[in-house]
Amino acid sequence: MAFVQHQPQANRDAVLSSVVSQGELGTWEDVKNARSTRKAKIGVHKIIFHEGDEARSLYELVSGAAMLYKLLPDGRRQVVEVLGPGDLFGFDVAGRHGSSAETLISTEVMVYCRREIEDSIGAQSHVARCALHQVGAMHDHAVLLGRKSAYERVATFLMRFLQDPQARERKSQQPQARRVGRVSLHMTRQEMADYLGLTIETVSRVISDMKRKQVIYLEKHDKIVVSDIGALFQLTGAYPD
Amino acid sequence: MAFVQHQPQANRDAVLSSVVSQGELGTWEDVKNARSTRKAKIGVHKIIFHEGDEARSLYELVSGAAMLYKLLPDGRRQVVEVLGPGDLFGFDVAGRHGSSAETLISTEVMVYCRREIEDSIGAQSHVARCALHQVGAMHDHAVLLGRKSAYERVATFLMRFLQDPQARERKSQQPQARRVGRVSLHMTRQEMADYLGLTIETVSRVISDMKRKQVIYLEKHDKIVVSDIGALFQLTGAYPD
DNA sequence: CGGGAGGTTGATCACCATCAACAACCGTGG
DNA sequence: CCACGGTTGTTGATGGTGATCAACCTCCCG
């Protein structure tokens, strides 16, 4: 990430925070330890906030998984983001949440006070880094939604949520070796469909087809094992013929 | 430049920048005035940088318009962002540009040195604000790409680029009054199509249909006049039946 | 005028949505 | 233990929206 100062980052923030007038916090760690910051445990499929709600807090997902989604008046839904540990969310412009947030599984979040963030220098730069990362992810997702076929969408989805990140890196380097990977699906077919801009039936059909072609198989109803990562990667569309 | 601060609000940053080791700048304005910052004029349809290029600078669009797009290996293109005055771009993660940038019309940009931005506190928070705004815009666009029909996409596109922003605000307040608005299309059909996740033919057909239904008409080949903003808004899908 | 790029329109097709039926799963309670 | 209802997932039949292929038009700008 381009904005990260590799070695001296924490150092500089420490220097700065010592200068900032009393009451103001300097580093992201300071905000984490602020008295107004608290941790919350949230059950499965609970709504954290609704689209349109007043945005009072900033959230950080500590463990678990959640999604952000938007609704059209007639009920169509688009899941705009899938969140994992370390992701920030709820920091919307204009004081109102632009999307709803709902947990996918049991989840822990840190809840930060908005003012605290605004006053903190370290927090600003941490937020900037996260937001830039999200913009990049959204760009990729726009390509998926705008230009990829159903098959490519599901393949891209599976690649993205592969458990072992190393496996993803080595994906193209050893095209001959059939590498195996695992995906824990914390999402229902409906949620996947709303994320990928498809219908539940199409998602189901593509997954069935991948099973038939031995690219993946199911394990325990909510885990997908990718039996050939290379083959799956070929299907994402991100690879020349 | 960083040494004399006239505005009281910038007080804190002034204090900070005076502490930070020499050469570092505090406010966003400081960065604008930095010696490494320069302004560039770019002609029509020029490429500013390519996807994959090393990301050395941060850009701010001053006047004109540009787009960011990504390509799939087989040539499919998705325009992921349309940029107007005030928008920042080129600040990608991992040191490489995640998308290509190309001007739509003749454009002026400010070019900032990456290091300057990384070292500036005011710049960090300005970048954070812009990035958050972009994330919100991307969320809206994900809804468009994932869940809207061709007709709704074009209608949403036109609403978004209506010249007079006030008109957009009053859109639903006076549904009875046929309000008029203008859109300057600096984009070819191909660019619109790649932005909306459609084909050139579909965009053309929808626009023709809107003309037939008297919702819009063309003026001077590159300006669309919306003869009934309320009616157009109904077509965006963002309105209950 | 002629050529070329951009835009329009028509005919056909394919992908994916829709509608519908059924299967698998799971907790509950008899 | 099984019967049950509800939820989630699968599979099939059909249709519609938008892609594709192709021809033609309309501006420019020389």
Side-chain angles (χ1 to χ4, degrees):
Chain A
M1 198 167 291
F3 279 81
V4 183
Q5 306 276 321
H6 296 299
Q7 307 93 7
Q9 170 70 18
N11 222 342
R12 195 195 64 192
D13 282 352
V15 173
L16 291 173
S17 66
S18 66
V19 193
V20 178
S21 62
Q22 58 283 5
E24 300 198 25
L25 300 166
T27 71
W28 177 237
E29 280 303 319
D30 286 337
V31 175
K32 284 201 175 203
N33 298 325
R35 282 201 306 125
S36 59
T37 298
R38 61 191 198 282
K39 187 179 231 174
K41 288 184 206 297
I42 310 172
V44 191
H45 282 294
K46 299 289 179 223
I47 290 179
I48 303 172
F49 53 76
H50 282 280
E51 186 174 347
D53 281 357
E54 196 185 336
R56 281 201 184 76
S57 315
L58 173 71
Y59 302 85
E60 180 183 13
L61 201 150
V62 177
S63 70
M67 62 178 172
L68 300 182
Y69 62 83
K70 290 173 78 84
L71 293 171
L72 289 174
D74 63 2
R76 282 175 285 178
R77 181 173 77 160
Q78 177 66 43
V79 172
V80 294
E81 226 152 307
V82 175
L83 305 165
D87 286 334
L88 298 183
F89 61 105
F91 48 156
D92 292 272
V93 288
R96 307 221 152 251
H97 289 300
S99 55
S100 305
E102 187 176 325
T103 55
L104 294 168
I105 55 177
S106 189
T107 295
E108 286 176 308
V109 296
M110 299 292 284
V111 186
Y112 304 108
C113 176
R114 270 187 109 66
R115 303 211 61 81
E116 210 92 61
I117 301 286
E118 282 159 15
D119 290 345
S120 162
I121 287 139
Q124 285 290 325
S125 102
H126 187 248
V127 166
R129 226 172 306 131
C130 285
L132 292 181
H133 187 259
Q134 277 191 6
V135 168
M138 288 306 295
H139 285 177
D140 286 338
H141 204 237
V143 174
L144 181 149
L145 292 172
R147 289 301 180 216
K148 289 193 179 182
S149 70
Y151 224 94
E152 291 170 331
R153 294 184 199 201
V154 174
T156 307
F157 174 83
L158 293 176
M159 286 301 292
R160 156 130 191 234
F161 292 105
L162 270 184
Q163 295 304 305
D164 179 14
Q166 302 179 339
R168 245 177 295 156
E169 290 163 23
R170 281 172 297 191
K171 59 195 178 297
S172 50
Q173 296 164 14
Q174 310 182 334
Q176 70 289 8
R178 298 179 116 246
R179 297 198 44 75
V180 175
R182 272 178 178 64
V183 181
S184 287
L185 282 189
H186 324 130
M187 300 172 82
T188 65
R189 293 285 183 275
Q190 186 64 64
E191 286 154 357
M192 289 178 58
D194 287 345
Y195 181 53
L196 300 177
L198 299 169
T199 59
I200 202 173
E201 295 97 329
T202 300
V203 171
S204 186
R205 266 183 257 271
V206 171
I207 288 181
S208 295
D209 201 56
M210 286 181 173
K211 279 193 283 190
R212 212 168 301 124
K213 293 182 177 157
Q214 319 251 351
V215 180
I216 61 173
Y217 58 92
L218 294 196
E219 188 181 84
K220 295 179 61 188
H221 306 234
D222 66 336
K223 275 204 168 49
I224 290 184
V225 180
V226 181
S227 35
D228 188 345
I229 295 183
L232 183 64
F233 187 58
Q234 302 283 117
L235 298 172
T236 61
Y239 203 72
D241 306 327
Chain B
M1 336 164 182
F3 311 112
V4 190
Q5 291 293 333
H6 299 297
Q7 296 146 351
Q9 177 55 26
N11 222 344
R12 194 193 64 193
D13 281 349
V15 172
L16 290 173
S17 65
S18 67
V19 189
V20 178
S21 61
Q22 56 283 7
E24 301 199 24
L25 301 165
T27 71
W28 178 236
E29 280 304 320
D30 287 337
V31 174
K32 284 202 177 207
N33 298 325
R35 281 200 307 125
S36 60
T37 298
R38 62 189 197 282
K39 187 180 235 175
K41 289 185 205 298
I42 309 172
V44 191
H45 282 293
K46 298 291 179 222
I47 291 180
I48 303 173
F49 52 76
H50 282 281
E51 185 175 350
D53 280 357
E54 195 184 337
R56 281 201 184 78
S57 314
L58 174 71
Y59 300 85
E60 179 183 13
L61 200 150
V62 177
S63 70
M67 63 178 173
L68 300 181
Y69 61 82
K70 289 173 80 85
L71 293 170
L72 289 174
D74 62 2
R76 283 175 285 179
R77 181 175 77 160
Q78 177 65 43
V79 172
V80 294
E81 227 152 306
V82 174
L83 305 165
D87 287 332
L88 298 183
F89 62 103
F91 48 158
D92 291 272
V93 289
R96 306 221 151 250
H97 289 300
S99 55
S100 305
E102 187 176 324
T103 55
L104 295 170
I105 54 178
S106 189
T107 295
E108 287 176 309
V109 296
M110 298 291 286
V111 186
Y112 303 110
C113 175
R114 270 187 109 67
R115 304 212 59 83
E116 209 93 62
I117 301 286
E118 284 161 13
D119 291 344
S120 161
I121 287 135
Q124 284 291 320
S125 105
H126 187 250
V127 166
R129 226 170 308 126
C130 285
L132 292 181
H133 187 262
Q134 277 192 7
V135 168
M138 287 306 295
H139 286 177
D140 286 338
H141 204 236
V143 174
L144 179 148
L145 292 173
R147 288 302 180 217
K148 290 194 178 180
S149 71
Y151 224 93
E152 292 170 331
R153 293 183 199 201
V154 174
T156 307
F157 174 83
L158 292 176
M159 286 300 294
R160 156 127 191 237
F161 291 106
L162 269 185
Q163 295 303 305
D164 178 15
Q166 301 179 341
R168 245 178 294 157
E169 288 162 23
R170 282 172 294 192
K171 60 195 180 291
S172 49
Q173 295 164 16
Q174 310 182 335
Q176 70 287 8
R178 299 178 117 245
R179 294 198 45 74
V180 175
R182 269 177 182 66
V183 181
S184 287
L185 281 190
H186 323 130
M187 300 171 81
T188 66
R189 294 283 182 275
Q190 185 63 64
E191 286 155 358
M192 289 177 58
D194 287 345
Y195 182 53
L196 299 176
L198 299 170
T199 58
I200 202 174
E201 295 96 330
T202 301
V203 171
S204 184
R205 268 184 256 271
V206 171
I207 288 180
S208 296
D209 202 56
M210 286 180 173
K211 280 193 282 189
R212 210 169 301 125
K213 292 183 178 155
Q214 319 248 352
V215 181
I216 62 174
Y217 60 93
L218 294 197
E219 190 180 81
K220 291 181 59 186
H221 305 228
D222 68 335
K223 275 205 168 46
I224 292 185
V225 181
V226 181
S227 37
D228 188 345
I229 296 185
L232 184 64
F233 188 58
Q234 303 281 117
L235 297 173
T236 62
Y239 202 71
D241 305 327

